[in-house]
Amino acid sequence: MSITANITVNGKSVDVDADASVRDVVAGLGLPDRGIAVAVDGAVVPRGRWDRHTMTDGAVVEIVTAVQGG
């Protein structure tokens, strides 16, 4: 039995492995790893830290996609 953490991603409750990284969450949602920005608990997580930044129970994650336009 694995230990899970309940996090909120863009307003929706999601269960992830307790040691899931930002990269794991992004991949689990089927999102590309380019063209998006991720904030955890209000702080942007630079792409270079996605593998090291792990989720905690109750974390609030916001993922935004860059949109080109004018």
Side-chain angles (χ1 to χ4, degrees):
M1 182 167 108
S2 65
I3 298 173
T4 60
N6 184 267
I7 64 173
T8 302
V9 179
N10 292 354
K12 295 181 183 177
S13 180
V14 178
D15 288 324
V16 297
D17 288 338
D19 60 351
S21 67
V22 169
R23 188 170 311 282
D24 295 332
V25 172
V26 169
L29 294 170
L31 298 171
D33 65 350
R34 295 275 183 220
I36 63 172
V38 180
V40 178
D41 295 329
V44 173
V45 179
R47 190 175 322 285
R49 294 188 184 157
W50 283 11
D51 291 322
R52 295 186 309 268
H53 192 105
T54 56
M55 298 294 108
T56 57
D57 195 50
V60 176
V61 180
E62 294 294 328
I63 301 174
V64 294
T65 304
V67 177
Q68 186 174 4

